[in-house]
């Protein structure tokens, strides 16, 4: 080997892309000299640098949104729905491109990224029906020549603060309905994978959305705090960890804002003795390891009602051995974790679980990887004999770590789920309709699946949990989403006999 030959540092020779804000319908460089590094999780290579907003940058975005609101709020329902339909078509045509952006910065496999975009599309389609969703009520003749009717009106400028795990879908839980209802939006995506929202902003502009209606501000706590305190921001929608959700809720409401803050989860899958164990094992693997477990709806605790545990663990282990872990662009089943720091945090739980006395059935650190050695890899991990006081059970690990908790009865399983501080999602696997009906009635969780491991509702129903999984009163999208982004007004009117309006033989137009 020639020791005099210089080594090539790819991190310094590859120029990373510069990711800037999107304000008033165009890219906006901002005023900050602070930036964050963006990586390709499958290679560990630096792929971009994202601008971190100053408070002045946030103010610029909010000012653009406020100015746009004065016109957008008065645009007809027909126009708003037409823009949403156009955006829907563009997004459907370019969904593979958006999925590729997600995979490059988040790491999830392409098929999973495409599924994320498709679920976001469902909310866009729901928002296309805004003329029906905003219909009010009318009561004629409540008194002599007096009528009463209700209407719903937009709030103004609304903020969306979204997490890294669904860089396209989570923002789409909120902004399509907000915009269709007549609001203007400032989105603060995760600094870990910021490019997806910028791509969406370009599509919205192409769809005919006026400048300033949709804005993107990148950054960290500085940007978040300014959105929470800015007097012209009327509402905040947030998805992330429970401590930050609580912080957003407390500080947002303190500043007079309407807030929906969706927090963390510890989702349980209860398997009763009469369940189809093959179906349950498939579900546990799919829901536990999809997107490398970086889902707020991931199953992280399988509650096995004895005597099913041994058979279920055997089947889960068999299925784990068939999974291909690697670069999401190579047709693998599971990709890397999002950052090196997050990998280290998740991997630390494996040692913690062993030290606490759990049985490490499958160690994800020993998984063969189809990808670059510098990627942020951890394969599917399975623990048995997990007890409620262990950190691998109490904490939201947010990685491919599945814990099996053994319980003797249905009642013990129900109590275990109900005493947990989280209440996001849960599932029960059984062939007993009576047991399933009892569980969905008795469990203290916001979203319940019966033989469905990830019970994420369709867009016309609302998404959200209970307890420490939600701060605020409104869930995302569906009817609750429409109500969150609008406020009700009741009008009582009395009119004299109507005057003649003149002759017009033209067909009425909805302009």
């Amino acid at each position: 080997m020639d020791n005099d030959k210089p080594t090539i540092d790819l991190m310094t020779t590859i120029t990373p892309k510069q990711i800037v804000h999107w304000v008033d319908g165009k890219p906006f460089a901002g005023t900050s000299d602070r930036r964050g590094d963006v990586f390709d999780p499958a290679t560990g290579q630096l792929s971009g640098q994202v601008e971190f907003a100053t408070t002045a940058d946030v103010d610029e975005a909010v000012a653009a949104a406020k100015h746009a609101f004065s016109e957008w709020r008065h645009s007809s329902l027909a126009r708003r729905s037409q823009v949403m339909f156009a955006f829907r078509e563009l997004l459907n045509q370019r969904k593979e491109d958006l999925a590729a952006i997600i995979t490059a910065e988040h790491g999830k496999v392409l098929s999973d990224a495409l599924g994320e975009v498709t679920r976001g599309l469902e909310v866009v389609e729901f928002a296309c029906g805004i003329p029906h969703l905003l219909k009010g009520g009318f009561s004629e003749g409540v008194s002599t020549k007096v009528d009463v009717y209700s209407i719903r009106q937009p709030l103004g400028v609304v903020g969306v603060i979204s997490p890294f795990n669904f860089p396209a879908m989570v923002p789409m839980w909120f902004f399509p309905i907000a915009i269709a209802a007549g609001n203007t939006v400032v989105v603060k995506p995760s600094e870990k994978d910021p490019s997806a929202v910028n791509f969406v902003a370009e599509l919205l502009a192409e769809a005919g959305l006026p400048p300033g209606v949709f804005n993107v501000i990148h950054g960290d706590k500085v940007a978040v705090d300014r959105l929470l305190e800015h007097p012209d921001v009327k509402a905040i929608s947030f998805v992330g960890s429970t401590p930050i959700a609580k912080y957003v809720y407390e500080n947002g409401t303190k500043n007079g804002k309407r807030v929906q803050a969706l927090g963390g989860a510890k989702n349980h899958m209860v398997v009763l003795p009469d369940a189809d164990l093959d179906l349950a094992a498939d579900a546990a693997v799919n829901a536990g390891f999809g997107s490398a477990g970086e889902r707020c709806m991931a199953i992280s605790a399988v509650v096995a009602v004895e005597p099913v545990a041994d058979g279920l663990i055997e089947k889960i282990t068999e299925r784990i051995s068939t999974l291909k872990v690697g670069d999401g662009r190579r047709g693998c089943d599971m990709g890397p974790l999002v950052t090196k720091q997050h990998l280290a945090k998740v991997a630390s739980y494996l040692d913690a679980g062993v030290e606490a006395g759990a049985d490490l059935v499958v160690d994800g650190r020993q998984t063969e990887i189809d990808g670059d050695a510098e990627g942020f890899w951890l394969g599917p991990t399975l623990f048995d004999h997990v007890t409620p006081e262990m950190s691998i059970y109490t904490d939201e690990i947010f990685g491919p770590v599945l814990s099996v908790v053994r319980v003797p009865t249905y009642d013990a399983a129900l109590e275990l789920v109900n005493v947990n501080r989280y209440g996001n999602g849960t599932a029960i696997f059984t062939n007993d309709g009576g047991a399933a009906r009892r569980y969905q009635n008795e469990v203290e969780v916001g979203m319940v699946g019966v033989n469905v491991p990830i019970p994420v509702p369709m867009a016309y129903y609302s998404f959200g949990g209970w307890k420490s999984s939600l701060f605020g009163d409104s869930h995302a999208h569906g009817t609750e989403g429409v109500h969150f982004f609008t406020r009700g007004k009741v009008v009582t009117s009395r009119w004299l006999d109507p005057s003649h309006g003149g002759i017009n033989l033209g067909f009425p137009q909805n302009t």
Side-chain angles (χ1 to χ4, degrees), residues 16 38 47 55 59 73 93 97 106 111 137 147 166 175 178 196 253 292 297 316 348 352 393 434 445 452 464 475:
V38 179
S47 62
T55 57
D59 290 348
R73 68 166 301 183
Q93 293 167 13
D97 297 332
H106 175 275
S111 60
D147 306 323
F166 287 101
F175 77 75
T253 54
M297 289 296 287
I316 291 174
S348 70
Y393 175 80
V445 174
V452 175
H475 293 162

Side-chain angles (χ1 to χ4, degrees), residues 107-129:
K108 65 178 66 176
V109 300
L110 278 171
S111 60
D112 193 23
L114 188 59
E116 169 184 345
V117 177
T118 301
R119 292 309 301 265
L121 259 170
E122 293 172 1
V123 183
V124 178
E125 291 166 350
F126 175 71
C128 288

Side-chain angles (χ1 to χ4, degrees), residues 14-72:
I14 297 176
T15 302
K17 65 179 178 180
Q18 300 301 305
I19 305 163
V20 300
H21 318 294
W22 179 275
V23 175
D24 206 20
K26 57 185 179 295
F28 172 67
T31 60
S32 176
D33 59 358
R34 297 189 307 122
R35 294 173 179 82
D37 291 337
V38 179
F39 293 89
D40 182 338
T43 65
Q45 296 297 312
L46 180 71
S47 62
Q49 288 189 319
V50 59
E51 300 282 342
F52 277 10
T54 63
T55 57
D57 296 334
V58 177
D59 290 348
E60 185 86 10
V62 174
K66 183 180 180 181
H67 177 75
F69 176 68
S70 62
E71 179 180 345
W72 183 246

Side-chain angles (χ1 to χ4, degrees), residues 93 96 141 153 172 175 204 234 281 303 343 375 382 476:
Q93 293 167 13
E96 286 83 5
Q153 296 183 319
M172 281 192 277
F175 77 75
L204 283 166
K234 304 304 180 184
V303 184
L343 168 62
L382 178 64

Side-chain angles (χ1 to χ4, degrees), residues 469-489:
S469 294
L470 175 71
F471 296 86
D473 299 319
S474 294
H475 293 162
H477 56 73
T479 302
E480 292 186 52
V482 175
H483 285 182
F484 180 80
F485 288 116
T486 58
R487 52 186 174 182
K489 181 180 287 184

Side-chain angles (χ1 to χ4, degrees), residues 221-303:
K221 189 175 183 295
V222 173
V224 170
D225 285 344
R226 185 55 182 156
L227 285 174
L228 294 178
E229 69 186 20
H230 199 295
D232 290 332
V233 176
K234 304 304 180 184
I236 294 288
S237 297
F238 171 87
V239 177
S241 68
T242 286
I244 306 302
K246 187 171 184 288
Y247 175 87
V248 167
Y249 178 76
E250 291 176 347
N251 285 276
T253 54
K254 181 179 68 177
N255 287 294
K257 305 185 192 314
R258 182 179 293 187
V259 179
Q260 53 180 175
L262 283 66
K266 195 70 180 182
N267 303 315
H268 299 76
M269 187 178 104
V270 175
V271 182
L272 297 187
D274 69 316
D276 182 325
L277 292 191
D278 286 311
L279 176 65
D282 288 342
V285 171
N286 294 338
F289 305 126
S291 196
E294 294 171 328
R295 293 173 176 161
C296 66
M297 289 296 287
I299 291 296
S300 54
V302 174
V303 184

